[in-house]
Structure formats: structure tokens, C-alpha cells
């Protein structure tokens, strides 16, 4: 029995593991690599296995870095069932259809560029092909020399299309938390709430073959205890092997109460002026949490009522899905529902319908007002237009409520950039820029260690995955100090489960 580490090994994206027994082959997560162009290119490295030979796929949650390659693996011949909680199935539909659309748009843009500037496109394609060959372990130079120009056009193709995504979505089976399901010959899976986003799961896999029985626990992404709306991560007490995420290894988040207080203060400061409060936020998870906290702050009388515009079609759809799963809510959110309060509604909140209405808001909107718009790192989506319109306005506060990836416009602004470039235009920064870091969807290091302490006996071996090298280096000694044997697997490493 063996485990192949095919993604989120020394990176935070591209989650993918293959469990192989002498009877079955099961893939756990099939996520997209995101981030630098080098990381993204890994999405085009051929799968480490023949997709036709896979019996089943298990998905921990709906984030793109966990589900984003599912249409790709399905288009290449995977024809088995895909298991996820019912909430995850619905959210994944949003995420994969959106991803397919973006790929199609990006590919069309690239084709237009190649038509206009064939020489430049060829140079770009060649260097991308060389990088891809290097990542695929071929001789990069030979590969570049041998590659005929027409052979490179696949780099301009979308990784998958909308029909591919639709076909893959038909393979999904929604299951309940806490029930053991037979998913492949000799393999069962139990989904436990991971408290990360709606429907997220820790997956406990029991596998049996001629070499015996093993229990392998895949942590998925572990949420913060006390995240609004959803439940806390489920304690797990045993397992022969464990894969634990390490996104925030070596780091401690600010306490949640402080984050909520800062949010209330930012809204209060916006009121009574000609102010605008602009909050970039990811559509799934963070937007619902922010709306929940704003509603709570208002109900508690700690902040004034400032009109709220929700400007993300995807966030609106995700909120509808959240509303359909009250059985996944934590006790606080359930108690609000019992009092017939809607925990995901802010009084008078306006859903911004289309891009025209979104643009009109910045010119004609009655102030003060606040906007929550996607995406969270200002790398795309309607937030970009708002930032472009309002960045030179000293009465605007740009409030970051989530993680800003290295090199993103969000990170540049957070680090105090005095001027930014948007759509080829240099814009001076006159607005206020503030950040709250306590709204993470991931447990920080003390919270991860607390979750690990639930094990009554340490697993035989704990794999530290889903983290950048520095975070993993900080985290590993602390896991060892709990008496756990640890390993930080490399990308494409295979480990025998004895
Ligand atoms: Zn996630």
C-alpha cells in the first residue's frame, strides 16, 4: 500500500494524493496549482497516473486549489464516482463552471495575442514549453529544440472547457458527514467537518488489502475554531497515518474578537463622512462571514447602519447555498435561525446586479456606503473597477479582511504602495489602506497543534503538507515535540504505508 504526493507538497496549492492498494486506486483532492507562472504551469504536467485506472475520487472541499483539476482528469478518462459532502457538491459546481469560463476567456485572449504578435507568442510558448518539460523531468533543451511551433499551440488551449466541467460535475455523489461509505474495493471513507468553509471535510480513509488494514487521515484545510456560521474542526483521535496542512505554520492570527472589533471600528469611521468602505473578499466563505459579523455588530448596537452593497454574483450564489444547509451551521447560527433571524442577511443589503450597476455605484452612490466585492486579492473580479475608481479618493478606506498572496495588487497596497498600475494606467494611492488578519479560514499554528493534541496515540507517521517551505520548517519541530514522527514529502514522492 502506498501514497503518492502529487500536489500541495511544499506548496499551498495543487492538493492531490493517490492512495494505491493492491485492489484499488483512489485520488484524494485534485486541485489546481495557483500562484506564480511556474506553479501554474504544473497544471499542464501530465498526471502521474492514468486517469482511466482510478476507481474513485474524494474531495475535501470546494476551493479551486483542491477541486480545480477535476474536469481535466475527467476529460482524460477518469470515469469513477467523485464523493463530497452535499454542500461541497453544490459549491464545487459554482467554482468549476467559473474556472472553465475563465480558462476559455484566457485562452481566447492568448489566441488573439498570438495572431497579432506571432513571433512574441512563439518565444513565450517556447520558454513555457521548456519550463513544462523541465517540470515533467525531460531534458528541457532537447524538448525546446525538438518542439515544432505547431506542437506548442496546446499551451494556448484552455485546460478544460465548460462541457468538460459539466461532464465532471455529473460524476459527483453527495454524502453525509459522519457515515462510513464504501468507495472502492477494500476502501471506505468517512467525512468529518473540517470547519474551513461550508461542506469542508477531514477525510478518514480505511484501506484493506493483502498487506493488512490502515487508517489514513487527510486533514484537508483545517478551519479556525469559532469561525462564524460553520462548526469547529472535528477532533480526530486516531489514525495510522496523517496528512496535516501547515498553511500557517509558525504564525499566530490576531484573536477573532479583535478582528470583529476592528471591523466595527472601520464601519463607524465610515459613517457620517463622505466615506466609502471597500472590502475585497473571496466569494465563498469570507463574504458570508463578513456579512454575518456586520449583522451581529449592528444588532449589538456597536456600529451604525451603513448601507451595504454585495458586489459579486458568485458570492450571492454561494450565500444561497449556505442558506440551504442550516444543518451544517454551528450552535450560534442555529440559535439565530431559531429566533427567525437570518444569520446571513444584513438589513437593506443590496445585491449589485451587473457590471454597469457596479460601475455606477462609485460615481452616483449615496455616501456613506460599504461594498464587499470579489476577488479578495484584487487580481480580478468587480473589486478591480472599484479600486480603480476610488483609489485616489481620500474618503475611501480599503479594508483587507483576508490573506494577500505575494505579488498581488492587494499585497502591494497592503505594503504601502504609493502608486499602482491598473489596466495600464498609473494611479496615485490617496485612500486609506487597513488590514484585519483575524478572519482566516485556516487554523494558525497554535490551533493546528491543539487539533493534533486530540490524537490519543500519535500516528505512525505524520506527513506535513499544504504549506510553503518556511511555514513547514517552523511547524515540523513543534509537531515532533508532541511525540509525532514527521515527514515533509516532496512533490511526486511516493511513500510505502507499512
Ligand atoms: Zn481551502
Amino acid at each position: 500500500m502506498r501514497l503518492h504526493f502529487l500536489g500541495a507538497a511544499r506548496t499551498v496549492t495543487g492538493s492531490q494524493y493517490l492512495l494505491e492498494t493492491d485492489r484499488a486506486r483512489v485520488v484524494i483532492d485534485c486541485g489546481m496549482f495557483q500562484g506564480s507562472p511556474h506553479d501554474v504551469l504544473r497544471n499542464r504536467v501530465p498526471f502521474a497516473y492514468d486517469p482511466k485506472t482510478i476507481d474513485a475520487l474524494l474531495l475535501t472541499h470546494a476551493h479551486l486549489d483542491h477541486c480545480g483539476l477535476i474536469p481535466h482528469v475527467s476529460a482524460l478518462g477518469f470515469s469513477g464516482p467523485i464523493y463530497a459532502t452535499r454542500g461541497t457538491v453544490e459549491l464545487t459546481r459554482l467554482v468549476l463552471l467559473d474556472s472553465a469560463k475563465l480558462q476559455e476567456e484566457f485562452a481566447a485572449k492568448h489566441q488573439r495575442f498570438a495572431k497579432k504578435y506571432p513571433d512574441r507568442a512563439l518565444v513565450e510558448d517556447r520558454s513555457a514549453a521548456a519550463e513544462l518539460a523541465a517540470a515533467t523531468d525531460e531534458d528541457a533543451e532537447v524538448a525546446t529544440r525538438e518542439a515544432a511551433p505547431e506542437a506548442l499551440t496546446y499551451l494556448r488551449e484552455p485546460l478544460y472547457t465548460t462541457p468538460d466541467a459539466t461532464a465532471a460535475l455529473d460524476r459527483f455523489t453527495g454524502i453525509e458527514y459522519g457515515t462510513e461509505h464504501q468507495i472502492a474495493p477494500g476502501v471506505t471513507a468517512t467525512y468529518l467537518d473540517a470547519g474551513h468553509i461550508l461542506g469542508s471535510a477531514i477525510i478518514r480513509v480505511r484501506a484493506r488489502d493483502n498487506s493488512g488494514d490502515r487508517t489514513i487521515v487527510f486533514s484537508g484545510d483545517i478551519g479556525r475554531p469559532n469561525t462564524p456560521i460553520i462548526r469547529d474542526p472535528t477532533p480526530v483521535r486516531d489514525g495510522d497515518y496523517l496528512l496535516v496542512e501547515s498553511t500557517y505554520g509558525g504564525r499566530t492570527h490576531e484573536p477573532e474578537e479583535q478582528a470583529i472589533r476592528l471591523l466595527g471600528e472601520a464601519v463607524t469611521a465610515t459613517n457620517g463622512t463622505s466615506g466609502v468602505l471597500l472590502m475585497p473578499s473571496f466569494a465563498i466563505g469570507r463574504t458570508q462571514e463578513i456579512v454575518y459579523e456586520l449583522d451581529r455588530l449592528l444588532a449589538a448596537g456597536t456600529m451604525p447602519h451603513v448601507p451595504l452593497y454585495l458586489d459579486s454574483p458568485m458570492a450571492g450564489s454561494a450565500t444561497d447555498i449556505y442558506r440551504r444547509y442550516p444543518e451544517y451551521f454551528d450552535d450560534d447560527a442555529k440559535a439565530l435561525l431559531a429566533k427567525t433571524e437570518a444569520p446571513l442577511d444584513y438589513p437593506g443589503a443590496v445585491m449589485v446586479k451587473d457590471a454597469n450597476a457596479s460601475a455606477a455605484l462609485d460615481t452616483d452612490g449615496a455616501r456613506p456606503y460599504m461594498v464587499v466585492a470579489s476577488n479578495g486579492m484584487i487580481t480580478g473580479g468587480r473589486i478591480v473597477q472599484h479600486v480603480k475608481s476610488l483609489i485616489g479618493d481620500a474618503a475611501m478606506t480599503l479594508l483587507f479582511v483576508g490573506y494577500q498572496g505575494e505579488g498581488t495588487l492587494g499585497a502591494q497596497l497592503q505594503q504601502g504602495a504609493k502608486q499602482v498600475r491598473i489596466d495600464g494606467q498609473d494611479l496615485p494611492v490617496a485612500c486609506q489602506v487597513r488590514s484585519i488578519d483575524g478572519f482566516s479560514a485556516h487554523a494558525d499554528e497554535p490551533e493546528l497543534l491543539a487539533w493534533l493534541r486530540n490524537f490519543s496515540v500519535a500516528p505512525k507517521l505524520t506527513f506535513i503538507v499544504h504549506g510553503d517551505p518556511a511555514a513547514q520548517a517552523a511547524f515540523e519541530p513543534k509537531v515532533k515535540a508532541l511525540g509525532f514522527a514527521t515527514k515533509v514529502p516532496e512533490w511526486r514522492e511516493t511513500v510505502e504505508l507499512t
Side-chain angles (χ1 to χ4, degrees), residues 285-461:
R286 187 58 35 81
T287 295
Q288 291 77 25
E289 286 169 35
I290 293 296
V291 172
Y292 177 96
E293 295 300 1
L294 288 172
D295 181 48
R296 291 296 85 211
L297 285 162
L298 189 64
T302 24
M303 65 169 229
H305 182 270
V306 175
L308 170 65
Y309 293 90
L310 293 167
D311 194 6
S312 159
M314 191 165 167
S317 307
T319 300
D320 290 341
I321 295 170
Y322 267 67
R323 285 196 187 104
R324 284 206 287 278
Y325 290 89
E327 68 271 31
Y328 290 0
F329 289 2
D330 62 10
D331 291 342
D332 293 346
K334 276 183 184 157
L336 284 176
L337 268 184
K339 283 196 289 178
T340 66
E341 282 189 52
L344 291 160
D345 288 334
Y346 178 86
V350 177
M351 298 293 291
V352 181
K353 280 193 195 72
D354 52 41
N356 290 336
S358 175
L361 185 57
D362 297 328
T363 47
D364 316 333
R367 300 186 177 200
Y369 65 88
M370 50 187 174
V371 183
V372 176
S374 299
N375 71 31
M377 303 196 293
I378 325 181
T379 56
R382 291 196 192 158
I383 187 71
V384 179
Q385 189 56 44
H386 291 298
V387 171
K388 197 176 164 185
S389 310
L390 298 171
I391 198 163
D393 185 338
M396 192 272 274
T397 299
L398 182 60
L399 179 63
F400 290 105
V401 291
Y403 178 76
Q404 303 303 308
E406 230 173 273
T408 59
L409 185 56
Q412 289 168 19
L413 283 162
Q414 205 173 36
Q415 286 153 18
K418 292 278 173 280
Q419 183 171 300
V420 293
R421 202 174 173 85
I422 303 177
D423 293 341
Q425 238 181 296
D426 288 319
L427 302 166
V429 181
C431 67
Q432 319 283 320
V433 179
R434 298 172 70 176
S435 302
I436 300 177
D437 85 352
F439 287 119
S440 179
H442 286 269
D444 63 12
E445 183 177 87
E447 290 160 349
L448 283 173
L449 292 169
W451 183 77
L452 290 174
R453 281 193 204 96
N454 291 313
F455 279 79
S456 48
V457 181
K460 228 186 250 184
L461 188 57

Side-chain angles (χ1 to χ4, degrees), residues 61 63 65-66 196-197 221 442 466:
H61 66 285
H63 277 151
D65 63 315
H66 292 257
H196 171 62
I197 57 168
D221 288 359
H442 286 269
H466 200 290

Side-chain angles (χ1 to χ4, degrees), residues 87-227:
T88 295
V89 174
E90 289 205 48
L91 289 172
T92 303
R93 174 170 293 276
L94 285 184
V95 170
L96 292 184
L97 290 175
D98 182 66
S99 168
K101 198 177 95 197
L102 287 175
Q103 305 245 1
E104 287 164 346
E105 286 170 4
F106 184 81
K109 198 168 151 193
H110 195 55
Q111 299 273 16
R112 283 198 296 275
F113 170 78
K115 214 168 175 182
K116 209 165 163 190
Y117 309 103
D119 295 347
R120 277 166 63 189
L122 191 61
V123 170
E124 269 185 26
D125 286 354
R126 275 184 190 271
S127 79
E131 235 193 286
L132 180 58
T136 319
D137 273 331
E138 284 173 36
D139 185 319
E141 258 193 52
V142 174
T144 325
R145 264 185 273 118
E146 285 175 354
E150 58 273 19
L152 298 176
T153 55
Y154 71 92
L155 287 167
R156 295 176 203 156
E157 299 289 318
L159 208 47
Y160 50 83
T161 60
T162 302
D164 293 335
T166 308
L169 287 163
D170 286 344
R171 318 211 141 278
F172 275 78
T173 300
I175 57 173
E176 305 298 327
Y177 283 119
T179 317
E180 191 164 6
H181 292 267
Q182 179 82 38
I183 52 110
V187 184
T188 69
T190 309
Y191 284 57
L192 307 167
D193 203 327
H196 171 62
I197 57 168
L198 187 91
S200 64
I202 298 160
I203 306 180
R204 183 167 59 210
V205 173
R206 291 191 210 277
R208 166 174 290 184
D209 71 1
N210 291 327
S211 64
D213 287 11
R214 321 265 191 291
T215 301
I216 307 127
V217 177
F218 296 85
S219 79
D221 288 359
I222 298 276
R224 284 199 88 175
N226 299 323
T227 295

